[in-house]
Amino acid sequence: MTAQIIDCKKLAQSVKEELKAKIAPLSAAPALAVIIVGCDPASEIYVRNKEKACLAVGIIPQTHKLPAETSKEELAALIERLNNNPDINGILVQLPLPAHLNAAEILPLISPVKDVDGFHPLNAGALLQKNAKTFIPCTPKGIIKLIKSTKPDLTGLNAVIIGRSQIVGLPVANLLLNENCTVTVAHSKTQNLPALCRTADILVVAVGKPELVTKEYIKPDSLVIDVGINRTANGLKGDVKFTDALETAAYITPVPNGVGPMTIAMLLDNTFEAYLKQHRP
């Protein structure tokens, strides 16, 4: 058996085409402000990709590049100006930040109604309360869309998530619970991890360790979502050994061009939602 590779780029493109059609008749285009502090090469690539994606669907990107030595007070002042600017619908602070800036202190400064990353404590709390009106973090939102493109009804399925970050693992767990899955969140302290993973109809891996998950982790005919993207001497690798997943799983996301394109598509979707909330409360 050979697993079906989920065409994440195709699904992301369909989302963008739908958004473009919805945005075209608006009297004013939605606008997304992206703040990048310092000169991290990977972050700069991500920001350029977001700019291109915005322009492709009719969203106005506004990028604010700040020097690495920017103080917390200076960054907070910029965020406050953007919060108060009615022409800006979404605000995103590109992570990681320089070491002297604490993301846990910076991200809550973004207005919850413009928090298109879904990281503000109010939005995170609303997700726990199953509030459909909250902003769902982009990567988890994209993961659920990818999963449901193969299995529209997830009721009763066993899901295992490796990784408990507040950006991916925990939101995905809550979203899968909302889909009536039985969910286990595994992490570095989990015992007998391969055996646990072999119980999973849906396996989501987000740990940042290249090819951690091999054949002995994967239940036959399962669905595997590889969130990892790791730069190695042999090129980009996921958290899942791709050839092993191909031999064992029913569905697998590729690396690269897997979860990443869906994350950007969901950022655009959240920006459009923010526009609607601000213009049509």
Side-chain angles (χ1 to χ4, degrees), residues 81-103:
R81 290 198 298 273
L82 295 171
N83 283 339
N84 294 328
N85 185 344
D87 295 327
I88 297 296
N89 306 112
I91 303 171
L92 179 154
V93 174
Q94 182 66 43
L95 301 178
L97 290 167
H100 68 283
L101 295 171
N102 185 345

Side-chain angles (χ1 to χ4, degrees), residues 18 36 43 70 127 164 168 191 200 237 280:
E18 289 177 9
I36 179 170
S43 292
T70 298
L127 176 60
R164 51 180 168 177
V168 179
Q191 297 182 5
K237 300 290 184 181
R280 306 171 190 174

Side-chain angles (χ1 to χ4, degrees), residues 24-233:
L26 296 176
S27 58
L32 172 66
V34 178
I35 302 171
I36 179 170
V37 185
C39 300
D40 178 73
S43 292
E44 291 183 340
I45 292 171
Y46 294 146
V47 169
R48 286 198 296 271
N49 288 341
K50 290 168 184 174
E51 290 172 341
K52 291 178 182 177
C54 283
L55 292 171
V57 301
I59 292 174
I60 300 170
Q62 186 183 105
T63 301
H64 299 262
K65 296 182 178 180
L66 304 179
E69 62 272 16
T70 298
S71 68
K72 176 185 175 182
E73 291 72 23
E74 291 169 326
L75 181 52
L78 172 58
I79 293 172
E80 184 63 18
R81 290 198 298 273
L82 295 171
N83 283 339
N84 294 328
N85 185 344
D87 295 327
I88 297 296
N89 306 112
I91 303 171
L92 179 154
V93 174
Q94 182 66 43
L95 301 178
L97 290 167
H100 68 283
L101 295 171
N102 185 345
E105 296 177 351
I106 297 299
L107 297 180
L109 301 177
I110 299 172
S111 168
V113 299
K114 297 188 178 185
D115 170 40
V116 289
D117 253 341
F119 294 158
H120 191 284
L122 288 179
N123 287 325
L127 176 60
L128 285 173
Q129 295 180 334
K130 301 182 181 181
N131 185 338
K133 295 182 179 181
T134 191
F135 288 116
I136 298 171
C138 303
T139 298
K141 187 176 181 179
I143 288 170
I144 298 301
K145 196 167 186 69
L146 287 170
I147 292 172
K148 296 192 74 173
S149 73
T150 68
K151 296 179 181 290
D153 184 3
L154 307 182
T155 300
L157 297 181
N158 289 328
V160 173
I161 301 157
I162 310 179
R164 51 180 168 177
S165 75
Q166 294 180 338
I167 295 175
V168 179
L170 295 182
V172 169
N174 283 298
L175 291 169
L176 287 172
L177 283 170
N178 292 348
E179 295 291 338
N180 300 313
C181 292
T182 299
V183 179
T184 303
V185 179
H187 45 78
S188 60
K189 307 300 182 184
T190 299
Q191 297 182 5
N192 302 319
L193 183 59
L196 173 64
C197 292
R198 285 198 302 273
T199 69
D201 302 302
I202 300 168
L203 180 61
V204 180
V205 191
V207 290
K209 293 184 178 180
E211 298 186 331
L212 167 73
V213 170
T214 52
K215 186 178 296 185
E216 61 266 26
Y217 287 70
I218 301 171
K219 179 181 178 179
D221 296 327
S222 60
L223 189 160
V224 180
I225 302 291
D226 188 353
V227 186
I229 184 160
N230 307 283
R231 288 170 173 80
T232 74

